[in-house]
Amino acid sequence: MSEVQVLIGNAGEREAVVALLAKRYEVRTGESVEQADLYLIDDHSVPAHREALREQKRAAGAVFCPVVLVRRERTRIDEQALPGQGPSGSGVIDEVITAPLDYETVVWRLDNLLTRRDTTRNLVEKNERLQQRERELQRYQTFVERSSDIITVLDESGVVKYQSPAIERVLGYGQDELIGENAFELFHPEDRPELEETYAELIADPGRTVASEGRIQRADGEYCWLSVMATNHFDSSVIDGIVVNSRDISDRKYEQQRRERTVERMTDAILDLNENWRFIEINDQAEQILGIESAEVLGKSIWDIFPSAVDTRFYDAYTTAMNEREPVAFEERFDEMDTWFEVNAYPEPHGGISVYFRDITDRKAREHRIERLNREFETVFENVRDGLFLFDRTPEGTLIFQRSNAIAGQLLSEEILTPGEELDGRVDPVLLERARECLEQERTVGIEHRVPDDGDESVFDVVLSPVIVEGTAEMVVGSARDVTERRQYEQQLESQRDDLRLLNQMVRHDIRNDLQVIQTHGELLAAEVSEELRSSADSVVASAKDAISLTEEARDLAAVMLRSGDTQEPISLSATLRTQVQQAGDSHDHATIEIDGTIPSCEVSADDMLDSVFDNLLQNSVVHNDSPEPRTVVSASIDDEYAVVRVADNGPGIDDDQREAIFEKGQQGEASEGTGVGLYLVRTLIEGYGGSVDVEESAEGGAAFVVRLPLAD
């Protein structure tokens, strides 16, 4: 969003302009001129801000900095502020707008000025980028022309795009002679495949640098060795190619080949130093490890090449071998290279020393890692809440105790076990038998292990796992968790479930049967007694019905509480809804309960309690409906992977703030005489199926319960 500063002195006029522009621009005010994309100023404020605005224009340089004068029709314009006026010949005003201000006209004129500003800014930035690229090209060309190495630029196919003058001195070709030629055609056929493979990898990785060596044919037909350093610069608009730095290393390669024949069987890195600490021999391994080339360091002092090694153990050990003519051996880390070395230094007859060394950084890292892991293991082993123990097995099959933490030691044996001690006769035989089974079958084995504890017993869940080394199970790792309290709690829960089953049986059979007898006899009495006693008989029948309804709710609640495991199966939605609608209609002949449209022929994932879900919803739609003609409409549809059932009535509806609370256990409507568990059971069952239930307003102003049930696979 463009920034506009309003520099209008009159507070009322300033606020009006700010309000006009605020919805399109980021508008600022202030007593002084600040950095902005455009300025609005009135004629009275021009003298106070003229110089500051000129300074902003000078600072913007070639970028257009628009200043708009807002004037009244009868106000005299400050002529010095207009372009071409004033002592300097250049004013600050670029556009004049006359009040009153019209939003569309003002925005159109301001947007034109801002577009002009953006255009000039883009041109300035583009010009700066072009100038920067030109400077980079000049620096690059100067570097290339003066380099002693051969510098070549190749395209993706390896064709030469540019060649530095150094090629004539090194290889005998003219600077432009190889332009347009494939550089790989000049390399020795034995070296070409590896160089082309490396080049292909380099092409795919902008910014990457690779180093290689190869034999290239000179202009006279002979081959020489080149050290090649290639960098992918395809992401550079200046270079747009592969830059190759090449150096003639023929002398070094021939010397290297001579030395390789001498020390080709040696695997250690070797360097020889004379009595003045100067390099007189370095093998390939030493060059690679130390990152040096013999041609560059031979004849130079080791302490000049590696000054950071002075006053270290390397310096002291080499000095001892040099002065005392005694061999020394040590391991030490060289901080400059972040590398550990194993070193042997021997005095030589020529007065100097030979140093044999190898990089042992990886070995040291493994040792440190193992040491750290051992410390961590010991900490975990001794402080973990579970018991841990380790059994070993002899070649004869005897189980041997290796170690345990304090918790495991108590459950394994009453006596203290010694590492290496045979376990037969010392540890529970069942535990040992399962440990042997774990080893023989090479699988994890579980066991419940009971340990006497002051007249009671503690219960442990023990897991035995094999430790497989090179394909053979050699040891057993055991973990033991005290589950005594959990087992006791499980037994308590099972006892409570048994009591609940008994209570459910009483409610479902004994009490329900008695209530049905009361209802039947009450109905007989109501038909026979006088008018004076009929109301009492009707009350007996109504109470019996209510009590039977309570037993049904208790039955459903107990069934939900006693469910265990996954009991869901495919249930026909159509059959369930039609059955429940029929039964509800038979029970409430004063109400209309009907199905709207066609019930989809599908199966949902539920169980036999699904009947209770729709029975509760249908009963609620009638029982709590105070309409003179109660009406309930049931409809169903498919939504993606769910069946959606809607049970809507024309009753009083449910207030928004009560729609979530009605599903809580024990919640009842204001006029309800129920237990408040019906809808709680509905939500519990539906969510158990993986579905959901919500309530909203029906088309007739009543309540509409929306049930989503997952379709069966």
Side-chain angles (χ1 to χ4, degrees):
M1 183 179 290
S2 299
E3 297 179 353
V4 176
Q5 184 175 11
V6 177
L7 300 168
I8 295 178
N10 184 279
E13 296 177 354
R14 181 172 63 250
E15 294 301 324
V17 172
V18 170
L20 180 69
L21 302 179
K23 60 183 177 181
R24 183 168 182 85
Y25 308 107
E26 183 177 337
V27 183
R28 296 203 304 265
T29 58
E31 298 297 328
S32 59
V33 176
E34 302 175 0
Q35 182 67 39
D37 295 318
L38 183 143
Y39 302 90
L40 265 73
I41 190 167
D42 65 342
D43 194 65
H44 295 293
S45 301
V46 169
H49 298 298
R50 182 188 301 115
E51 290 305 319
L53 290 172
R54 283 177 177 164
E55 182 60 33
Q56 288 291 339
K57 285 178 172 287
R58 284 194 292 270
V63 178
F64 179 52
C65 180
V67 179
V68 179
L69 176 66
V70 180
R71 63 180 292 266
R72 303 178 189 86
E73 293 183 356
R74 299 177 181 178
T75 302
R76 182 181 61 84
I77 299 177
D78 185 345
E79 299 294 338
Q80 295 185 12
L82 295 175
Q85 305 298 323
S88 64
S90 177
V92 296
I93 302 301
D94 300 290
E95 187 87 35
V96 177
I97 300 176
T98 303
L101 302 182
D102 173 73
Y103 175 76
E104 293 185 357
T105 301
V106 171
V107 167
W108 178 76
R109 297 178 71 176
L110 295 189
D111 281 354
N112 285 340
L113 292 171
L114 290 170
T115 299
R116 179 180 168 189
R117 174 183 173 86
D118 292 340
T119 301
T120 58
R121 180 191 290 118
N122 292 337
L123 290 173
V124 169
E125 291 176 352
K126 183 177 181 180
N127 185 55
E128 290 177 351
R129 288 195 298 270
L130 290 173
Q131 292 177 356
Q132 176 65 23
R133 183 178 180 185
E134 181 66 25
R135 289 193 294 270
E136 291 177 355
L137 283 170
Q138 292 175 355
R139 287 198 300 269
Y140 174 69
Q141 184 174 1
T142 301
F143 166 75
V144 169
E145 298 294 335
R146 295 181 180 179
S147 174
S148 60
D149 289 350
I150 302 174
I151 298 179
T152 309
V153 178
L154 306 177
D155 67 8
E156 292 185 352
S157 302
V159 174
V160 178
K161 297 170 57 178
Y162 171 81
Q163 189 68 70
S164 71
I167 193 171
E168 184 173 357
R169 175 180 57 80
V170 178
L171 299 180
Y173 297 103
Q175 180 177 0
D176 299 329
E177 185 176 347
L178 299 179
I179 300 297
E181 300 292 332
N182 190 298
F184 292 103
E185 298 296 329
L186 297 175
F187 280 91
H188 195 284
E190 294 179 359
D191 301 335
R192 194 179 305 159
E194 182 177 351
L195 291 172
E196 289 177 337
E197 181 179 354
T198 302
Y199 193 79
E201 295 175 355
L202 180 64
I203 288 292
D205 193 358
R208 181 183 176 190
T209 298
V210 298
S212 188
E213 295 179 353
R215 289 164 288 179
I216 193 169
Q217 192 172 37
R218 296 168 48 88
D220 59 11
E222 297 294 328
Y223 282 95
C224 68
W225 280 92
L226 289 184
S227 172
V228 178
M229 187 76 70
T231 303
N232 186 329
H233 282 294
F234 278 111
D235 58 350
S236 169
S237 60
V238 177
I239 300 173
D240 189 29
I242 301 294
V243 176
V244 182
N245 290 63
S246 306
R247 178 178 300 179
D248 186 351
I249 57 169
S250 299
D251 293 341
R252 181 174 68 81
K253 290 296 292 187
Y254 297 146
E255 177 63 21
Q256 175 182 333
Q257 292 170 358
R258 183 190 67 80
R259 287 187 287 106
E260 284 177 351
R261 290 191 293 270
T262 304
V263 296
E264 61 182 357
R265 297 182 181 275
M266 296 183 180
T267 58
D268 285 356
I270 304 171
L271 58 87
D272 283 345
L273 304 173
N274 66 14
E275 68 277 8
N276 295 318
W277 300 107
R278 299 186 184 279
F279 289 100
I280 57 177
E281 184 70 31
I282 306 172
N283 73 349
D284 291 343
Q285 289 86 346
E287 286 183 328
Q288 294 173 5
I289 292 176
L290 298 178
I292 58 177
E293 293 186 3
S294 58
E296 297 179 352
V297 301
L298 290 178
K300 297 181 180 179
S301 170
I302 186 175
W303 311 124
D304 291 338
I305 302 300
F306 298 105
S308 61
V310 178
D311 295 331
T312 67
R313 191 174 181 186
F314 294 94
Y315 183 87
D316 295 339
Y318 294 171
T319 301
T320 298
M322 183 80 77
N323 295 338
E324 300 182 9
R325 315 307 297 166
E326 292 289 339
V328 294
F330 62 96
E331 294 180 358
E332 186 62 39
R333 180 177 180 274
F334 187 32
D335 293 340
E336 180 181 338
M337 297 176 60
D338 191 20
T339 304
W340 275 89
F341 291 103
E342 179 186 284
V343 184
N344 289 272
Y346 302 95
E348 292 290 344
H350 57 65
I353 59 173
S354 292
V355 180
Y356 296 73
F357 60 96
R358 65 182 62 182
D359 183 346
I360 60 169
T361 305
D362 290 343
R363 192 192 79 192
K364 281 292 186 181
R366 287 194 300 271
E367 291 175 356
H368 292 159
R369 185 164 57 251
I370 291 172
E371 181 181 353
R372 187 189 73 250
L373 289 174
N374 284 336
R375 290 196 301 268
E376 293 174 352
F377 173 76
E378 290 297 331
T379 301
V380 172
F381 193 85
E382 294 300 333
N383 292 282
V384 69
R385 293 191 305 170
D386 293 345
L388 296 176
F389 56 88
L390 181 65
F391 295 164
D392 201 353
R393 180 172 61 174
T394 66
E396 295 78 20
T398 303
L399 290 178
I400 303 297
F401 175 74
Q402 286 295 342
R403 62 177 306 179
S404 67
N405 61 6
I407 297 175
Q410 296 175 1
L411 71 92
L412 289 176
S413 175
E414 296 181 356
E415 304 175 12
I416 297 177
L417 295 174
T418 304
E421 183 179 4
E422 293 186 9
L423 291 171
D424 288 329
R426 303 294 305 279
V427 176
D428 180 67
V430 176
L431 179 62
L432 293 182
E433 184 61 29
R434 299 308 298 273
R436 292 189 179 92
E437 178 184 334
C438 169
L439 287 170
E440 293 169 359
Q441 300 181 9
E442 296 185 356
R443 67 181 182 87
T444 299
V445 176
I447 182 176
E448 184 174 271
H449 187 56
R450 297 177 178 271
V451 178
D453 185 13
D454 295 334
D456 297 324
E457 65 177 7
S458 297
V459 183
F460 291 86
D461 269 349
V462 179
V463 177
L464 304 171
S465 302
V467 178
I468 300 177
V469 180
E470 296 182 355
T472 304
E474 296 187 353
M475 292 180 287
V476 173
V477 174
S479 64
R481 176 164 295 181
D482 189 342
V483 295
T484 306
E485 292 184 0
R486 190 181 75 191
R487 289 288 186 268
Q488 292 173 349
Y489 182 65
E490 290 172 352
Q491 292 174 359
Q492 181 181 356
L493 286 179
E494 187 59 33
S495 176
Q496 291 175 348
R497 289 173 66 88
D498 290 342
D499 293 342
L500 185 57
R501 289 189 185 95
L502 178 59
L503 177 60
N504 185 38
Q505 183 177 0
M506 292 175 59
V507 170
R508 293 182 60 182
H509 296 89
D510 302 341
I511 297 177
R512 181 181 175 84
N513 290 341
D514 289 344
L515 289 172
Q516 288 176 336
V517 170
I518 294 173
Q519 178 184 346
T520 301
H521 286 282
E523 291 172 346
L524 293 174
L525 288 173
E528 298 295 334
V529 298
S530 62
E531 290 293 333
E532 293 81 3
L533 296 176
R534 182 168 298 170
S535 61
S536 297
D538 290 341
S539 296
V540 171
V541 173
S543 297
K545 288 182 178 180
D546 290 342
I548 291 173
S549 177
L550 290 176
T551 63
E552 291 174 350
E553 289 187 356
R555 176 198 63 196
D556 292 344
L557 180 59
V560 171
M561 296 174 64
L562 291 171
R563 284 194 307 173
S564 61
D566 186 3
T567 60
Q568 292 177 219
E569 59 182 352
I571 301 293
S572 171
L573 180 65
S574 176
T576 300
L577 287 178
R578 293 186 185 282
T579 299
Q580 294 306 313
V581 168
Q582 179 65 42
Q583 292 179 358
D586 293 343
S587 300
H588 303 283
D589 53 7
H590 68 290
T592 300
I593 303 176
E594 59 186 358
I595 294 176
D596 180 20
T598 302
I599 303 298
S601 179
C602 64
E603 292 182 330
V604 295
S605 179
D607 57 21
D608 57 2
M609 294 295 292
L610 185 61
D611 290 341
S612 296
V613 169
F614 293 116
D615 178 59
N616 269 287
L617 293 178
L618 292 171
Q619 295 294 336
N620 276 340
S621 71
V622 177
V623 172
H624 301 298
N625 193 333
D626 57 2
S627 174
E629 296 181 359
R631 183 169 181 267
T632 301
V633 177
V634 178
S635 60
S637 61
I638 301 297
D639 180 14
D640 196 12
E641 298 180 357
Y642 290 86
V644 181
V645 180
R646 183 181 177 89
V647 180
D649 61 53
N650 63 342
I654 301 173
D655 294 339
D656 291 346
D657 58 354
Q658 291 295 314
R659 290 180 181 176
E660 185 64 26
I662 61 173
F663 293 104
E664 297 177 5
K665 188 187 299 185
Q667 289 295 321
Q668 300 171 255
E670 295 180 359
S672 174
E673 298 179 356
T675 61
V677 299
L679 291 179
Y680 165 75
L681 284 173
V682 167
R683 170 169 281 187
T684 301
L685 288 167
I686 291 175
E687 291 182 349
Y689 301 149
S692 63
V693 58
D694 296 292
V695 62
E696 57 190 40
E697 185 176 347
S698 71
E700 299 181 81
F705 286 84
V706 181
V707 176
R708 292 174 61 86
L709 294 168
L711 296 174
D713 293 336

